[in-house]
Amino acid sequence: ATDAWFRSPSSVSLTDSAGKRSCAPLCTGGMFVHPDLVALALACATLIVWWAWSRRSLAVAAAVPRDKPWERDGLDETGRFEAAVRSAPRWLAFLAGDEPQTLYGLYKQAKLGDAPPGMKSGGLKDRVKLGAWRKQAGRSSAECRADYVALLDGVATRAAAAAAPAIGRDQVTFQPTRCRDLGLRVRIVGTGNYVPERVVTNEEVTARGGGGFEASTVRSGVAERRFAAPGERASTMAAHASRAALEAAGVPPESLWMIVNASGTNEQAIPDGGPLLQAALGLGGSGIRSVSVHATCLSFLVGLEMASSALERADCPPGAHVLVCSSEITSRHVDPCDSHTATLFGDGAAACVLRRAGWREGSRLHAARVETYGEGAALTQARGGGTNLPQHSPEDHHAPNPASDYAANHFEMDGAGALRLVLQHGRGFMERLWPGLSRSLGSITWAVPHQASGLALEAILDALGWPAERAIRTIDTLGNCAAASIPLTLHEGIASGKIRRGDKCVLFGTGAGLSFGGIVLTY
């Protein structure tokens, strides 16, 4: 039969060992394919399609939290309520209508009783929250605790029921990449940081804002943060962190091949921070290429990917070193009277020095990914400072622009809305960044997250099923330092001895826009 397989199709007649006629081979364009091979190919194709569809299904189903903590055995009525409160951030993506406001009102009434009659509210968001609280006036704490648990239980049940039908709709899609492992030979040879001397406690932040920040300080997870001194510049802070990283790497500044300023806040409109950092390092006449990457809180990740790709270029000289630095002064654009942001942000800078890894060195950049969902652009923004709202009037450049007011020139954030979007898309993003991350860390040793807030960190780690002890935190003592948060946390992990050579790490976070970013590397 094997000999007959290769004969002319007009004369072939296949027989088995018993002399029985078997199926004739297929013939197309002079190629002869045995039916068994066709069946095998179809079976393999079916398995591949099933595998891809199941992975996609898992990504959708994984977006729904796996349990209801308030149903655990041994909890009394108060314990059920406290468990529901702790797990509430996990369900933000599934709340609908006025459910977020109702939950808030029930919580405040259960904890504090009726809202004080003379209590004043600030912006629209504060007025809505105060109204939700007052809707529960006169109700007992026990009633509100029970209703809070019942409402969250209904949300959880609804989310679980919607998970299966969601498969087949493009809510969370599995998008396989062409190459799972980029394998970029990149090695971090030195890191450094700089934090301003001034330590700002929660008591000082509360006093500056006029009081009433206690709940926000708990949610933020920040015990203290650093503020830049008056007159201190972001480029000067960046130079301090860069010199520390260069010293750790044993690299003289003048030997750098490239400088990348990766900051989310600008020191000035023009020029960008790249030349300013170069000059602050005393390299103003060196000609070293110095550029900026601006992707808000993801700037460092984008800058790290850019630097890694540059080191892989054919024209990259042997032994070339690239400096990537993030330096942030957020305190000058945060409204001190906004309890949601004033308690959260701090100032700081961090840098790292990269070179191409040797063949025998295990350092690699395995994956890098960014996804953007512009529907969340208004959730975190500072509307002023650009061409849309210039300081001067568009008609008369000598007159101030009335639209460029106090609110427009300070950072605004809808924290709950941003967290809902993060929980909605986060697990799918992590799965697309590195297969398996939507369920566990797997072979990854350390998670280096953007320090968005204490509440956000706990919600994200819980949703992904990652152990908290394998995520490095700096939110407690440094706050959210925008783009500098990830490199500050990376430096802390390396300097403390937690991250060691050969450890695989995932650096990840979110940025205004709303964007997700992540890098998987071996240190």
Side-chain angles (χ1 to χ4, degrees):
T2 305
D3 292 338
W5 189 359
F6 296 98
R7 297 176 190 168
S8 166
S10 58
S11 58
V12 69
S13 176
L14 299 182
T15 58
D16 59 18
S17 57
K20 296 181 181 179
R21 183 180 177 86
S22 62
C23 297
L26 303 179
C27 172
T28 17
M31 293 183 62
F32 304 98
V33 184
H34 195 278
D36 291 347
L37 293 181
V38 176
L40 180 61
L42 288 173
C44 290
T46 303
L47 284 172
I48 291 170
V49 172
W50 172 84
W51 173 82
W53 187 264
S54 66
R55 292 294 294 273
R56 180 175 183 272
S57 304
L58 283 172
V60 177
V64 181
R66 295 174 291 278
D67 64 340
K68 298 179 180 180
W70 53 88
E71 291 185 344
R72 292 170 184 166
D73 295 336
L75 293 178
D76 57 13
E77 185 243 358
T78 302
R80 284 165 51 84
F81 171 71
E82 295 296 342
V85 170
R86 286 193 299 270
S87 66
R90 301 165 55 192
W91 307 95
L92 285 177
F94 307 99
L95 297 177
D98 62 353
E99 288 175 341
Q101 293 90 335
T102 303
L103 279 175
Y104 176 84
L106 289 169
Y107 172 81
K108 298 293 281 189
Q109 187 70 19
K111 286 287 191 178
L112 302 175
D114 291 349
M119 186 175 181
K120 296 180 180 179
S121 57
L124 175 61
K125 183 165 64 176
D126 288 336
R127 291 197 297 271
V128 171
K129 291 168 70 174
L130 181 58
W133 185 2
R134 285 179 172 159
K135 280 185 178 179
Q136 309 300 330
R139 304 190 66 194
S140 68
S141 294
E143 287 179 315
C144 292
R145 287 196 296 266
D147 284 359
Y148 188 100
V149 173
L151 176 55
L152 204 58
D153 188 80
V155 172
T157 302
R158 185 178 68 222
I167 300 170
R169 300 201 301 265
D170 293 330
Q171 290 187 359
V172 178
T173 57
F174 176 70
Q175 301 169 356
T177 53
R178 290 192 300 171
C179 177
R180 175 181 172 181
D181 194 329
L182 296 176
L184 298 181
R185 291 168 45 211
V186 176
R187 187 174 180 89
I188 298 174
V189 292
T191 63
N193 75 334
Y194 171 80
V195 291
E197 293 182 3
R198 182 185 173 194
V199 178
V200 180
T201 63
N202 286 338
E203 291 74 19
E204 183 178 346
V205 171
T206 301
R208 290 176 65 210
F213 285 9
E214 289 76 11
S216 295
T217 56
V218 172
R219 288 194 302 269
S220 71
V222 183
E224 62 184 37
R225 73 284 292 150
R226 304 296 183 98
F227 278 7
E232 193 166 23
R233 299 168 67 102
S235 56
T236 306
M237 293 169 49
H240 286 310
S242 298
R243 289 192 186 98
L246 289 164
E247 183 178 351
V251 176
E254 59 274 11
S255 69
L256 287 170
W257 179 57
M258 185 178 184
I259 297 172
V260 179
N261 167 58
S263 303
T265 56
N266 299 324
E267 183 172 313
Q268 60 188 60
I270 297 175
D272 67 85
L276 298 178
L277 173 55
Q278 186 205 62
L281 286 170
L283 303 172
S286 65
I288 298 171
R289 67 178 75 182
S290 303
V291 297
S292 287
V293 171
H294 177 31
T296 61
C297 295
L298 297 179
S299 298
F300 178 77
L301 294 185
V302 177
L304 188 61
E305 179 187 1
M306 174 183 172
S308 302
S309 299
L311 286 169
E312 288 283 329
R313 284 173 45 162
D315 62 347
C316 178
H321 289 87
V322 178
L323 171 70
V324 182
C325 183
S326 299
S327 181
E328 304 285 12
I329 301 180
T330 64
S331 58
R332 294 174 187 167
H333 285 281
V334 170
D335 182 358
C337 298
D338 183 351
S339 63
H340 300 284
T341 58
T343 58
L344 188 57
F345 290 94
D347 303 337
C352 70
V353 179
L354 311 174
R355 66 164 170 81
R356 196 169 188 185
W359 286 108
R360 294 187 178 181
E361 294 175 324
S363 301
R364 295 290 187 273
L365 191 150
H366 303 287
R369 188 178 184 88
V370 173
E371 292 181 10
T372 301
Y373 298 87
E375 61 186 305
L379 295 175
T380 48
Q381 61 179 347
R383 294 173 288 119
T387 57
N388 186 45
L389 291 174
Q391 293 290 331
H392 56 76
S393 170
E395 292 78 19
D396 182 1
H397 286 203
H398 295 285
N401 183 2
S404 183
D405 56 10
Y406 181 90
N409 286 283
H410 285 81
F411 181 70
E412 301 170 314
M413 178 179 70
D414 179 357
L419 186 55
R420 276 196 295 271
L421 205 57
V422 168
L423 293 176
Q424 179 181 346
H425 297 288
R427 300 195 72 163
F429 168 79
M430 298 307 296
E431 187 67 27
R432 293 185 285 274
L433 169 66
W434 193 255
L437 277 183
S438 66
R439 299 178 295 281
S440 71
L441 279 174
S443 62
I444 290 176
T445 310
W446 291 104
V448 183
H450 168 52
Q451 308 291 300
S453 73
L455 180 65
L457 279 176
E458 292 167 7
I460 292 167
L461 293 175
D462 183 76
L464 294 170
W466 296 0
E469 59 272 14
R470 287 169 65 183
I472 301 173
R473 287 175 63 113
T474 55
I475 186 74
D476 316 75
T477 56
L478 296 178
N480 182 337
C481 295
S485 277
I486 292 177
L488 280 167
T489 307
L490 176 65
H491 172 76
E492 171 63 23
I494 295 171
S496 66
K498 291 181 178 179
I499 299 177
R500 301 181 180 181
R501 285 295 176 194
D503 285 349
K504 187 176 285 186
C505 305
V506 55
L507 286 60
F508 69 99
T510 57
L514 183 107
S515 293
F516 296 79
I519 281 179
V520 177
L521 58 82
T522 296
Y523 174 64

